[in-house]
Amino acid sequence: PGTGLMVTGIDFFKSQNCRLHHTDAYNIENLVVRRGQAFLLQLTFSRELKAADNLSLRFGIGKRPMKIRGTLMSLNPKRDPDLSGWQISIIKSSGKECLLSVTSSPRAPVGKYTLNVKTGTNIYKPENDAIYLLFNPWCKADVVFLDNEAQRKEYVLNDTGYIYVGSAYNIYNRPWNFGQFEEFILDACMYLLDKSKLKLSNRKDPVFVSRAMSALVNANDDSGVLIGNWSGNYSHGTSPMDWIGSVSILQKYYKTKKPVLYGQCWVFAGVLTTVMRCLGIPSRCVTNFNSAHDTDENLRVDIYVNESGEKLNRMSLDSVWNFHVWNDVWMKRTDLPTGFDGWQAIDSTPQEQSQGIFQCGPCPLKAVREGDVYLPFDGKFVYAEVNADKVYWLVKKVNGKDKFFRISTEIQGIGVNISTKAVGEDKREDITVEYKFPEGSEEERKAMQKACSFIHPSGMEPRARFASTTSIDRTVSKPQVLHEALSKSGLQLQITNKAALCPGNPLELVITVKTSTPGNWTIDLAGSCQLQCYTGNVVASLGCVKETVKLEGKSETEVPLKIAADTYMKTLASVEDELLIHVTAIAEVQGTDDKLTKETTMRFEYPPITIQMPETTKLNKEFSCAFIFKNNLNVPLDNCKLLVEGLGIFKMSTFDEGDIKPGRIIKSEIICTPTRLGKKKIVAKLISVQVKGISAEKAITITE
């Protein structure tokens, strides 16, 4: 009889398969394919394949692959199709070569599979036997299917982007390199999947995978990727301000298997986007401005101010962050009633525990929008972040005790200008309508009532840490109807700046007081300026103004608030965060109930970085890239570092620039060789003791 059939070689057709599976950008030797889609393999045998020969390809996942658990697929092209939903067929067999087509199940667990080939009693193990299987947004039968090529390009394949930061009325973009295709990133994601201890059967499901990753990107509970730190002191690690992408974070984590220091919300969101896109789940970074962190799910955030208008942080349990960044991931929710497919919010910033672990989501945007907050997961928390009310309390000392007076309730200030990068364009897209109905619309009120029926907002008692021991002015603390009483005087406040807010210059601020109804009005105004972190945490009080203003009928007046540079420059240099200028104004019209609070947050303005390089260049051809910065502030910038990174062009590099005196120009150059085709971006960031957030980016097109 014929000798035993042996396999002598296997060709994975890597370049062809990867191109068809949109995985050709992964920087890895192995074959990377997406589930539910065919790929080709060619076997070479010791002799010609005969009809009587037995041949099976065995794909295994996990430590001990077993057929009964569905973790070992044994595919025989001549037998009935495998029950696991995998398929195999012979495309052509000629001589000693046999071309096979394999299609994995669109419901297969995602991860690293090993392949061996069994012929009779012989088993052939290829040298590089690991095949990576990913989620497939291109496959109709996959629950992450996204029916739009431009969106798939953006949310799965784009490895650069922006994260929006700043404040609601002063939004700016921070370039971020997601870098999901860079060296070791795919392996780092596979390591996280193993670390998640998800059952293999749950690895099929993007609901479980995205929830597990929202827990693993923060180091709380499970020594995951990043340790959060909001203290303003980052001397033992890297300041959250200093990252320009996820690559160095995930590479360092994978190499050391220890949490990386330090993250804040945009860093967590940037890394989680990288992990999701790398695994094939469409994902985007979402920034919510004036984001409520409501600790007890009563849909209310209490803000306490003293008589000068200064915000008192020590009293608040709740907080309003200038912005908070989380992620949306795209999937069908087969675990929920119909109608909740599409974008789901997940959040890896450790804020509140969910089921005992710092994880959040996936929560359908549609559930947030319609007030269906009883649905899993974490709907109440996400709903409050975008819909809570802000209640202002004035804290006065009466006979040595704190007494609380409710000044006003703001029902439209939380959850505004929700932003993400637009598809295929370097622009901001406002997605607020995906999270909430228009303010004041009938649908919005219905959604709010539905949500409240599950959340139980409490009555109007202040929630200060020690309110129980102090007295409350009961006259104002009855729960109020949601619309405010009409004001007699038509009082309005506006806060603006007269000159550019450059570090080293005086801050020239103006509070405009307006009335719009006939009569003589006497208005007590208190205004204050503070420096705060983006989490709303006050770092320093810079100055106050108190005036009594007389206005007649429909008129307005300006009250200046000027702060000298030396009042704040020391604080800027002592904290490693980027600080924002926060102005609060309180006005009370004498003889009426008209009380009003207005707050605004502004950011400092900085000189730009210029990037000089050609617009296009050829693959593997050297070119030079120059970074130029002129300090046109009137203060020196101490201990400056320039960080630069260009995915597919050069690795992250740091230039020490020392101290840059006013008027001085620095120029740093890098000679680089592009290794990948297409439009690539170079990102630069300058950090110093005084100024943390200057960044720039420029695109270059690489051709053959």
Side-chain angles (χ1 to χ4, degrees):
T3 52
L5 180 71
M6 310 264 286
V7 176
T8 57
I10 185 163
D11 184 348
F12 286 103
F13 288 129
K14 184 170 182 266
S15 65
Q16 185 187 342
N17 283 327
C18 287
R19 206 168 53 245
L20 292 170
H21 283 251
H22 307 93
T23 56
D24 43 342
Y26 286 98
N27 184 354
I28 195 162
E29 294 292 297
N30 303 59
L31 179 62
V32 183
V33 288
R34 297 186 188 275
R35 64 185 191 175
Q37 186 176 334
F39 58 93
L40 297 175
L41 296 173
Q42 184 159 286
L43 299 178
T44 310
F45 298 113
S46 54
R47 60 165 171 76
E48 207 169 321
L49 186 65
K50 300 195 178 112
D53 287 324
N54 253 330
L55 164 71
S56 59
L57 270 66
R58 308 197 308 172
F59 293 90
I61 185 171
K63 285 205 174 69
R64 293 190 22 243
M66 283 153 72
K67 279 189 190 173
I68 189 147
R69 288 203 187 134
T71 55
L72 178 65
M73 276 53 68
S74 182
L75 308 179
N76 182 331
K78 296 176 184 172
R79 267 209 321 263
D80 292 337
D82 193 88
L83 293 172
S84 61
W86 290 56
Q87 291 161 347
I88 187 167
S89 59
I90 295 179
I91 303 283
K92 71 170 193 214
S93 182
S94 64
K96 293 180 178 178
E97 287 178 342
C98 178
L99 183 63
L100 295 161
S101 168
V102 177
T103 308
S104 61
S105 161
R107 291 172 301 282
V110 162
K112 216 165 149 176
Y113 285 77
T114 52
L115 166 66
N116 59 54
V117 185
K118 192 173 179 193
T119 50
T121 54
N122 298 314
I123 289 184
Y124 172 80
K125 283 191 166 70
E127 225 171 283
N128 209 346
D129 66 347
I131 294 177
Y132 293 74
L133 188 67
L134 307 180
F135 288 101
N136 193 352
W138 283 264
C139 168
K140 278 202 168 76
D142 194 316
V143 282
V144 301
F145 175 63
L146 179 56
D147 195 8
N148 178 315
E149 182 56 28
Q151 288 181 357
R152 290 188 293 241
K153 265 204 173 107
E154 183 66 56
Y155 299 135
V156 186
L157 300 179
N158 196 352
D159 57 358
T160 64
Y162 302 117
I163 297 178
Y164 291 92
V165 293
S167 66
Y169 306 104
N170 190 345
I171 298 174
Y172 64 103
N173 65 22
R174 212 168 258 168
W176 192 267
N177 285 337
F178 299 114
Q180 65 268 36
F181 303 118
E182 301 306 300
E183 198 179 14
F184 302 125
I185 302 301
L186 182 56
D187 280 320
C189 293
M190 292 298 152
Y191 171 72
L192 287 172
L193 271 180
D194 288 340
K195 202 169 158 49
S196 73
K197 304 221 164 49
L198 278 178
K199 290 201 295 253
L200 280 163
S201 57
N202 286 345
R203 279 208 201 179
K204 315 171 172 180
D205 190 341
V207 173
F208 287 107
V209 171
S210 59
R211 184 160 175 80
M213 293 302 141
S214 83
L216 274 162
V217 165
N218 66 66
N220 303 50
D221 317 306
D222 47 28
S223 66
V225 180
L226 273 162
I227 289 185
N229 182 344
W230 284 265
S231 71
N233 173 5
Y234 311 113
S235 52
H236 299 297
T238 301
S239 156
M241 290 298 308
D242 298 0
W243 304 111
I244 51 181
S246 314
V247 180
S248 44
I249 297 170
L250 283 164
Q251 285 176 342
K252 186 174 184 185
Y253 178 70
Y254 183 58
K255 194 171 152 190
T256 63
K257 308 290 193 280
K258 287 193 179 73
V260 176
L261 320 174
Y262 292 105
Q264 287 177 6
C265 70
W266 68 91
V267 189
F268 288 110
V271 172
L272 189 52
T273 299
T274 302
V275 171
M276 291 291 110
R277 288 184 184 177
C278 186
L279 293 172
I281 299 175
S283 174
R284 62 187 184 186
C285 285
V286 172
T287 305
N288 179 36
F289 289 94
N290 294 348
S291 188
H293 180 166
D294 175 25
T295 48
D296 62 352
E297 293 186 345
N298 68 346
L299 278 192
R300 212 184 80 211
V301 175
D302 293 301
I303 292 169
Y304 302 93
V305 290
N306 65 16
E307 295 178 66
S308 312
E310 292 174 334
K311 210 163 63 159
L312 304 170
N313 263 90
R314 61 190 169 83
M315 291 198 162
S316 273
L317 295 154
D318 292 338
S319 52
V320 176
W321 293 21
N322 289 114
F323 63 88
H324 178 41
V325 192
W326 61 72
N327 301 80
D328 285 344
V329 281
W330 180 271
M331 63 187 70
K332 284 195 180 65
R333 287 299 294 268
T334 50
D335 56 325
L336 297 183
T338 52
F340 294 102
D341 297 342
W343 289 115
Q344 318 283 322
I346 59 174
D347 190 346
S348 55
T349 298
Q351 291 190 92
E352 297 288 320
Q353 289 182 326
S354 168
Q355 298 178 320
I357 293 176
F358 282 98
Q359 58 188 357
C360 180
C363 165
L365 266 54
K366 193 148 182 294
V368 175
R369 191 163 175 230
E370 315 226 323
D372 292 308
V373 295
Y374 55 91
L375 290 168
F377 293 92
D378 309 304
K380 291 176 183 171
F381 186 74
V382 179
Y383 186 86
E385 287 182 302
V386 297
N387 283 305
D389 290 342
K390 248 157 110 175
V391 182
Y392 290 97
W393 299 88
L394 178 62
V395 184
K396 287 185 179 176
K397 280 266 187 276
V398 181
N399 305 332
K401 268 189 172 174
D402 282 333
K403 206 169 174 198
F404 296 84
F405 300 86
R406 187 162 152 265
I407 317 171
S408 61
T409 302
E410 199 181 293
I411 58 172
Q412 295 191 358
I414 298 282
V416 297
N417 304 346
I418 303 174
S419 302
T420 190
K421 178 189 171 302
V423 173
E425 291 182 286
D426 291 344
K427 289 206 312 230
R428 184 177 76 88
E429 183 187 351
D430 191 301
I431 54 169
T432 311
V433 294
E434 298 186 41
Y435 274 89
K436 50 211 288 198
F437 289 109
E439 290 287 356
S441 66
E442 199 175 324
E443 300 101 329
E444 186 233 7
R445 280 209 296 281
K446 276 193 185 137
M448 193 83 182
Q449 280 163 352
K450 195 195 282 187
C452 290
S453 71
F454 301 112
I455 296 180
H456 314 298
S458 60
M460 281 298 171
E461 303 284 320
R463 276 187 47 240
R465 297 179 180 202
F466 26 74
S468 53
T469 58
T470 55
S471 60
I472 298 164
D473 177 5
R474 294 262 169 218
T475 53
V476 290
S477 62
K478 291 193 290 291
Q480 279 213 336
V481 195
L482 275 179
H483 50 82
E484 286 293 292
L486 285 171
S487 98
K488 277 190 189 156
S489 57
L491 177 66
Q492 281 178 302
L493 294 173
Q494 219 176 355
I495 302 167
T496 47
N497 53 312
K498 274 277 184 266
L501 301 168
C502 297
N505 290 1
L507 308 178
E508 298 185 45
L509 306 162
V510 173
I511 301 168
T512 307
V513 186
K514 295 183 186 179
T515 50
S516 62
T517 53
N520 285 336
W521 309 109
T522 305
I523 298 147
D524 294 321
L525 175 76
S528 79
C529 178
Q530 295 171 304
L531 284 181
Q532 69 170 32
C533 303
Y534 84 98
T535 56
N537 196 27
V538 172
V539 178
S541 289
L542 303 181
C544 299
V545 59
K546 266 193 152 171
E547 271 194 37
T548 300
V549 177
K550 288 190 162 51
L551 287 178
E552 216 174 303
K554 197 173 174 177
S555 58
E556 60 178 73
T557 185
E558 292 190 348
V559 178
L561 173 55
K562 189 172 175 176
I563 282 132
D566 9 334
T567 321
Y568 67 83
M569 283 309 293
K570 273 196 188 63
T571 310
L572 279 196
S574 69
V575 179
E576 294 182 54
D577 289 311
E578 180 176 25
L579 297 179
L580 301 155
I581 301 155
H582 186 79
V583 186
T584 312
I586 308 178
E588 299 190 43
V589 183
Q590 292 182 7
T592 71
D593 283 339
D594 290 4
K595 291 187 181 68
L596 197 59
T597 17
K598 175 91 181 176
E599 45 179 354
T600 191
T601 309
M602 309 169 175
R603 98 182 255 252
F604 286 102
E605 295 172 40
Y606 310 121
I609 300 170
T610 310
I611 303 177
Q612 286 181 348
M613 62 179 183
E615 284 191 7
T616 62
T617 187
K618 295 219 176 325
L619 193 65
N620 299 322
K621 183 175 176 274
E622 271 192 3
F623 70 95
S624 114
C625 180
F627 304 92
I628 299 158
F629 174 79
K630 179 182 182 185
N631 180 8
N632 57 24
L633 302 172
N634 54 26
V635 284
L637 296 177
D638 300 330
N639 190 10
C640 294
K641 284 188 178 57
L642 179 72
L643 314 167
V644 296
E645 184 178 47
L647 301 181
I649 299 173
F650 56 83
K651 287 204 165 42
M652 171 92 183
S653 316
T654 306
F655 297 95
D656 278 308
E657 303 290 356
D659 301 346
I660 306 178
K661 300 266 177 293
R664 198 181 136 217
I665 297 174
I666 58 153
K667 182 174 180 179
S668 298
E669 222 167 328
I670 199 162
I671 306 290
C672 38
T673 310
T675 55
R676 273 190 272 175
L677 292 169
K679 188 177 157 192
K680 299 289 161 215
K681 275 190 184 159
I682 286 176
V683 176
K685 182 167 212 170
L686 186 88
I687 44 179
S688 69
V689 172
Q690 290 81 1
V691 168
K692 317 295 189 295
I694 306 178
S695 53
E697 53 149 25
K698 197 162 182 182
I700 182 165
T701 303
I702 318 295
T703 57
E704 301 236 29

